[in-house]
Amino acid sequence: MDMSIFLVVSMFAVLVGFLLTGFPVAFTLGGTGLLFGLIGMATGTLDATFLEILPNRLFGNVVRNELLFAIPLFVTMGVMLEKSNVAEDLLENMGRLFGRMRGGLGISVTIVGALLAASTGIVGATVVTMALLSLPTMLRRGYDQSLATGSIAAAGTLGQIIPPSIVLILLADVISSAWQQAQLDAGNFSPSPMSAGELFAGALIPGLILVGFYIFYQVVVALLRPNSSPAIPQTEGETLDAAFYGRLLLALAPPMILIVAVLGSILSGIATPTEAASVGAIGAILLGAARQDNRTRWIVMVSLAALLALLTLAGTMDLRMSRAVVPTPDRVAFYLAIVLTTAFVLGLGWSLFKIHRAGVLGDVMRSTLRISTMIYAILIGAALFSLVFRGLGGDDAIENLLHGLPGGQFSAILLVMVLMFILGFFLDFIEITFVVVPVVAPALLAMDGTYGPIWLGVLIAMNLQTSFLTPPFGFALFYLRGVVPDSVPTITIYRGVVPFVIIQLLALLLIAFEPGLVTWLPDLLF
């Protein structure tokens, strides 16, 4: 066997072995890359100058990568919404709205899970939050344990596929680099990039289809097995009067407006994902503060009114004061803009003060720092690993392997999807995104095919989502098992998620054979 092939295979095997031991991912990636880099230089297989590229690679791909700035901002948005009890209010009011029909609580869990997925994009947090808030109620109302736990686990994994999602942000960065590399290898020296907004648009319709499949399944189960998902008796429920719908609107409208503002600004091209993430983080802070007391709620409303007035002013008036002649209306508008900006900043400062006094801000910042640091550390380790892997000829070996498969692109994609599905039992999505995707994506995108990087990215995201839900090793099941009471056996959880795994596989096959479900919206918008 050629020495470079031997080192490539050994490198990947050692990496997976260390990851399975539970050793920290960032150190495993960096340490494995450095170890085999030294072995490669000692055996003459790796040119030492290859490692000299690392500082420039880190500076260009990590430090100056504006897309990655969105990660701590989206994490802040998600954690703030989680800790400010937005999910609790949504579940309570949705449960009252749909609870009077059979399967209503399960439908409520799916809808709220989809909203939280679009708000947070963090799978573990969504599963745990949904389980803590909804499972006791579902079991108390006589829901079948399997159906209840399966519904919660499936709804929690929607954060993988419904944008804006941390998974899609990271995948967009990796797939875009692979797409440009594939174009360069094909002789196109002015490659067209793929933006995160395009991947968001591609994932939106499949995500909504998946939500529809979940709800349809729960309706069918309620019809076929009424005792598995009973309705809440009317005598126990609250009257659905004007006051109830007012509370429902207050619980539903703020997160919906925030989701539309963030996702809509990205899909419409008004803002980049990083800019939209900052809007989401600030909006989540204001939303969290508005829940503290009536006085703060009014301050937040005034701050938002000032912001809307400022945006309107900026869109209708010319606020540049560097012109030789500034008309009086523009000058008045400029000073009014200063007043509005001051009002918004003061409102934001008061909001930060209130959520700090409530003990929420500190928890949010610590969680954001912990998650973001973990992601960036893995990025640095993955950069070293992929550089050495490429220097040893690993990318050429993978490309030759995939190109040599009978059946062409279909066989290659099927093999990669099966590999990722199995690895999803043992590795987190971040590890798979930075270890496996950069290795296989350039080879897949270089093959003859008309589907492109957006379709491949959505296919990978949904495949990983299915893997995280599949017994016995799915990550979502571990999160759920950690908060489910001991009275619910583990085998019951496994039995409950099996129908949802089948639904996931059907959805995966649907987008695999109907790429237009993924590519239609990006083509329309971009």
Side-chain angles (χ1 to χ4, degrees):
M1 180 185 293
D2 183 76
M3 177 57 74
S4 62
I5 299 297
F6 174 76
L7 289 179
V8 165
V9 174
S10 301
M11 185 179 185
F12 197 79
V14 168
L15 173 69
V16 173
F18 274 115
L19 289 175
L20 293 179
T21 65
F23 198 73
V25 179
F27 300 136
T28 298
L29 286 168
T32 304
L34 184 60
L35 173 63
F36 279 85
L38 294 174
I39 294 174
M41 288 188 292
T43 57
T45 311
L46 179 68
D47 190 345
T49 57
F50 232 81
L51 293 181
E52 296 176 6
I53 306 174
L54 182 63
N56 290 332
R57 190 181 179 92
L58 291 178
F59 189 72
N61 294 348
V62 179
V63 178
R64 296 188 62 183
N65 190 337
E66 293 187 6
L67 178 61
L68 298 180
F69 294 166
I71 292 174
L73 295 170
F74 274 130
V75 172
T76 300
M77 172 182 167
V79 177
M80 179 63 73
L81 290 177
E82 175 198 347
K83 294 185 179 297
S84 57
N85 297 327
V86 172
E88 185 174 357
D89 277 2
L90 279 173
L91 270 173
E92 181 181 350
N93 287 284
M94 283 292 182
R96 290 172 179 169
L97 180 63
F98 292 104
R100 301 191 180 196
M101 58 181 288
R102 288 193 180 97
L105 285 179
I107 294 173
S108 302
V109 165
T110 301
I111 294 174
V112 174
L115 292 174
L116 288 182
S119 305
T120 66
I122 305 172
V123 173
T126 306
V127 172
V128 170
T129 302
M130 298 289 288
L132 291 174
L133 295 178
S134 61
L135 186 60
T137 301
M138 297 177 80
L139 296 181
R140 189 171 64 251
R141 297 294 182 183
Y143 256 68
D144 180 77
Q145 290 183 344
S146 296
L147 180 62
T149 53
S151 302
I152 292 169
T157 59
L158 290 171
Q160 294 276 106
I161 193 66
I162 295 183
S165 160
I166 302 297
V167 179
L168 295 178
I169 286 282
L170 298 177
L171 264 178
D173 183 57
V174 175
I175 293 284
S176 179
S177 299
W179 175 233
Q180 294 185 57
Q181 182 63 44
Q183 292 178 88
L184 289 172
D185 293 342
N188 179 9
F189 296 105
S190 57
S192 59
M194 185 206 75
S195 68
E198 291 176 287
L199 189 59
F200 281 4
L204 185 59
I205 292 178
L208 295 178
I209 289 174
L210 200 57
V211 173
F213 282 175
Y214 286 174
I215 293 176
F216 178 75
Y217 167 72
Q218 288 167 353
V219 170
V220 170
V221 170
L223 292 174
L224 297 179
R225 293 192 291 127
N227 293 333
S228 66
S229 48
I232 298 177
Q234 186 169 356
T235 55
E236 298 181 26
E238 184 177 344
T239 304
L240 302 185
D241 53 9
F244 166 77
Y245 286 109
R247 288 193 297 273
L248 177 63
L249 182 64
L250 286 176
L252 187 61
M256 282 296 296
I257 292 172
L258 188 61
I259 292 167
V260 170
V262 173
L263 192 56
S265 61
I266 295 173
L267 297 183
S268 63
I270 296 174
T272 66
T274 303
E275 294 165 344
S278 64
V279 171
I282 295 297
I285 289 171
L286 294 174
L287 181 57
R291 304 171 65 82
Q292 300 301 316
D293 53 60
N294 287 330
R295 180 185 178 188
T296 304
R297 186 177 299 115
W298 280 107
I299 291 175
V300 167
M301 292 174 64
V302 170
S303 302
L304 291 175
L307 178 61
L308 291 174
L310 180 62
L311 293 175
T312 303
L313 202 62
T316 56
M317 308 295 290
D318 190 344
L319 302 181
R320 295 173 300 165
M321 293 293 104
S322 57
R323 293 172 291 168
V325 178
V326 181
T328 301
D330 287 349
R331 190 177 297 276
V332 172
F334 175 76
Y335 290 113
L336 179 59
I338 293 177
V339 174
L340 292 173
T341 302
T342 303
F344 176 74
V345 170
L346 290 175
L348 178 59
W350 178 259
S351 299
L352 289 169
F353 171 73
K354 290 299 291 185
I355 58 177
H356 171 67
R357 287 286 300 271
V360 174
L361 186 61
D363 287 344
V364 171
M365 292 297 101
R366 280 189 291 272
S367 295
T368 301
L369 181 63
R370 184 175 63 253
I371 296 171
S372 302
T373 302
M374 175 194 68
I375 293 174
Y376 275 94
I378 292 174
L379 271 168
I380 294 172
L384 176 57
F385 178 87
S386 62
L387 184 65
V388 173
F389 189 84
R390 182 162 294 169
L392 292 173
D395 53 345
D396 293 331
I398 294 294
E399 185 170 353
N400 292 334
L401 171 65
L402 295 179
H403 278 276
L405 291 174
Q409 189 184 42
F410 175 81
S411 298
I413 291 179
L414 180 62
L415 176 64
V416 169
M417 289 298 122
V418 171
L419 174 64
M420 287 187 179
F421 184 84
I422 295 172
L423 289 176
F425 292 157
F426 311 104
L427 307 180
D428 192 54
F429 75 88
I430 299 176
E431 301 157 22
I432 295 175
T433 300
F434 292 129
V435 174
V436 182
V437 178
V439 173
V440 299
L444 293 177
L445 294 172
M447 291 182 175
D448 292 334
T450 58
Y451 304 142
I454 300 173
W455 175 78
L456 181 62
V458 173
L459 202 65
I460 290 173
M462 187 168 284
N463 185 34
L464 292 179
Q465 179 188 359
T466 308
S467 177
F468 293 164
L469 193 60
T470 303
F473 301 112
F475 274 81
L477 306 181
F478 292 142
Y479 290 127
L480 186 61
R481 178 69 273 178
V483 293
V484 165
D486 295 336
S487 58
V488 180
T490 301
I491 191 64
T492 298
I493 300 175
Y494 290 171
R495 191 166 57 246
V497 300
V498 166
F500 292 96
V501 172
I502 295 173
I503 291 172
Q504 289 270 166
L505 292 173
L506 291 175
L508 191 61
L509 290 173
L510 183 62
I511 65 171
F513 291 103
E514 292 292 338
L517 293 172
V518 175
T519 58
W520 175 77
L521 190 57
D523 290 343
L524 180 68
L525 296 177
F526 296 94

